[in-house]
Amino acid sequence: MTLQTTAPETRAAAAPALAPGLAITGLTKELGGRTIVDSFDLVLERGELVALLGPSGCGKTTTLRMIAGFLEPDAGTVEIEGRDVTDLGPEKRPSAMVFQNYALWPHLTVFKNVAFPLTLKRLSKAEISARVMTALETVGLTHHAESRPAHISGGEQQRAALARAIVQEPGLLLLDEPLSNLDAKLRVRVREEIREIQQRLGITTVMVTHDQEEALAISDRVAVMNAGRIEQVGAPADLYANPATTFVASFIGSMNWLAGPTVAAARAGAAAAAAADRAAESWAVRPEDVRFEAVPDGEATILRVLPHGHFSELVIDVAGLELRAVASGAGPRSGDRGRVLLDNVRHYRDGLLAGRVEDAR
Ligand SMILES: Nc1ncnc2c1ncn2[C@@H]1O[C@H](COP(=O)(O)OP(=O)(O)O)[C@@H](O)[C@H]1O
Ligand SMILES: [Mg+2]
């Protein structure tokens, strides 16, 4: 597809649809006799950040390596900004990848590490220098241009690896668990920096992570992956509110699983469900949709109160059924008696969302 061949004013009339930033169709890979990535489809708008989220071993890195060109797919295509790159090597693709372990050269300075992909392209010294300094400025690392990787912190190494990717001015940025080697506090800060830079530069980005909180916090959309396939793709709030499968419901946020649509039914069904096939039918409710009302001699008892700072998690026993709830501020205490009301109970049949039950008791 030919794009942007006319001035913006005249383009508006014809309005040719811009090809997506990334379009993956039917991507499949078998390794060691197992299908690791299975008919994977995903389309990203230009400038969009999509997190590829799933448990360890579900095929995220394998997928990313095929998008980058480091691994040849058995079937399927990869198109970047409308161009089919499936048969091109990584250096011929307009993509840049940040590896989980950063893969910085220990004997080279930060400047030379960032310059490395440009020296391969045989750009002039002056242009390399200008682009490297711009990239280092973007990630806030100019003061470490002459440092070696071993002499800067983990967060700074991460930023150097990011600079080495964006210096290539890629059409597509690929990040493989970029934050997993950082401690919790730094992880939050660096992920916000990555998001800010990604939005400022408008780079189409796929970020692989196994951390659902991280995925929800910085993505335009999240693609939840399970056993080589995408289970669901959606905006963070949408995935949280409407998990389409029991896998997504369990993986994103926390969930109470019930053997019936109401507390009474769940309690009655608990024993039967434990013996019967549980997968066929189940009901799920988020802790924030479980309300505890103090009532003298109520059938529910608070077993534990787990303080999280600005809220507390309650573990409640309802005549043998254990539920988790959220309470704000001080109030409920362990041993308190009351009753439990449920909102937004989701009904799953054969692993798929089948409907909702409102105001269940
Ligand atoms: N070269 C290979 N040969 C055989 N199995 C592999 C190979 N590479 C990866 N795998 C397997 O594929 C599965 C998915 O791996 P990977 O894509 O790295 O998962 P993730 O990044 O989601 O943790 C794992 O079970 C892994 O052991
Ligand atoms: Mg991986």
Side-chain angles (χ1 to χ4, degrees):
M1 194 184 293
T2 318
L3 297 163
Q4 297 193 346
T5 51
T6 49
E9 314 83 68
T10 52
R11 227 192 315 140
L18 213 57
L22 173 67
I24 304 169
T25 313
L27 208 61
T28 300
K29 187 71 188 177
E30 214 176 90
L31 289 169
R34 280 196 307 137
T35 304
I36 304 298
V37 178
D38 193 2
S39 307
F40 186 101
D41 296 325
L42 185 65
V43 175
L44 271 71
E45 293 311 315
R46 292 195 186 195
E48 194 179 24
L49 190 161
V50 171
L52 200 53
L53 171 70
S56 180
C58 74
K60 303 180 298 294
T61 295
T62 305
T63 303
L64 210 63
R65 289 179 68 216
M66 287 193 281
I67 301 171
F70 292 108
L71 187 68
E72 201 181 321
D74 296 333
T77 56
V78 176
E79 286 175 37
I80 301 174
E81 298 187 343
R83 189 166 144 233
D84 189 333
V85 298
T86 315
D87 296 325
L88 301 181
E91 72 291 344
K92 297 255 166 63
R93 299 189 184 196
S95 51
M97 183 154 161
V98 174
F99 298 89
Q100 187 166 2
N101 58 4
Y102 315 146
L104 296 168
W105 298 103
H107 60 290
L108 297 181
T109 62
V110 166
F111 182 98
K112 286 193 170 155
N113 265 287
V114 176
F116 192 75
L118 302 184
T119 55
L120 290 181
K121 288 182 180 162
R122 300 175 181 227
L123 301 181
S124 76
K125 251 192 161 147
E127 181 173 3
I128 290 176
S129 180
R131 277 173 63 173
V132 169
M133 289 319 283
T134 303
L136 288 179
E137 211 172 294
T138 302
V139 302
L141 218 55
T142 44
H143 59 295
H144 275 309
E146 295 311 315
S147 305
R148 282 176 206 278
H151 297 149
I152 61 177
S153 71
E156 287 162 344
Q157 289 178 36
Q158 172 49 243
R159 294 212 287 268
L162 183 61
R164 187 178 54 187
I166 64 176
V167 80
Q168 304 171 54
E169 297 172 1
L172 177 67
L173 180 63
L174 304 169
L175 307 167
D176 192 0
E177 309 252 8
L179 306 168
S180 59
N181 294 332
L182 307 179
D183 65 58
K185 223 175 188 152
L186 195 56
R187 214 153 52 214
V188 171
R189 206 180 78 203
V190 178
R191 84 183 180 206
E192 284 167 9
E193 284 172 8
I194 288 179
R195 177 56 158 166
E196 192 274 320
I197 292 167
Q198 179 268 333
Q199 284 187 313
R200 180 148 44 91
L201 302 180
I203 310 180
T204 311
T205 302
V206 180
M207 184 177 100
V208 159
T209 179
H210 65 270
D211 181 337
Q212 50 109 1
E213 191 209 313
E214 187 174 296
L216 297 179
I218 75 162
S219 313
D220 293 303
R221 285 186 304 150
V222 176
V224 182
M225 201 172 168
N226 177 26
R229 286 180 154 271
I230 288 188
E231 289 257 334
Q232 189 177 3
V233 188
D238 210 35
L239 278 185
Y240 188 83
N242 303 302
T245 68
T246 48
F247 178 84
V248 176
S250 303
F251 199 73
I252 296 207
S254 64
M255 201 61 111
N256 292 292
W257 289 99
L258 310 175
T262 64
V263 170
R267 226 175 42 223
D277 177 31
R278 228 165 193 254
E281 279 210 291
S282 51
W283 285 262
V285 60
R286 297 263 186 223
E288 62 267 34
D289 292 325
V290 176
R291 280 181 291 149
F292 177 83
E293 278 180 11
V295 176
D297 301 323
E299 61 166 357
T301 309
I302 296 180
L303 295 178
R304 288 188 294 282
V305 180
L306 312 168
H308 286 259
H310 57 294
F311 72 96
S312 295
E313 198 177 351
L314 308 180
V315 183
I316 306 168
D317 171 84
V318 195
L321 180 71
E322 206 171 277
L323 292 173
R324 289 192 176 241
V326 168
S328 56
R333 292 201 287 187
S334 113
D336 283 1
R337 302 283 294 272
R339 61 180 188 144
V340 158
L341 302 115
L342 310 177
D343 289 321
N344 278 321
V345 177
R346 296 156 180 88
H347 179 202
Y348 291 88
R349 191 179 295 127
D350 296 326
L352 300 177
L353 185 63
R356 267 172 205 268
V357 188
E358 303 294 338
D359 292 329
R361 272 147 218 262

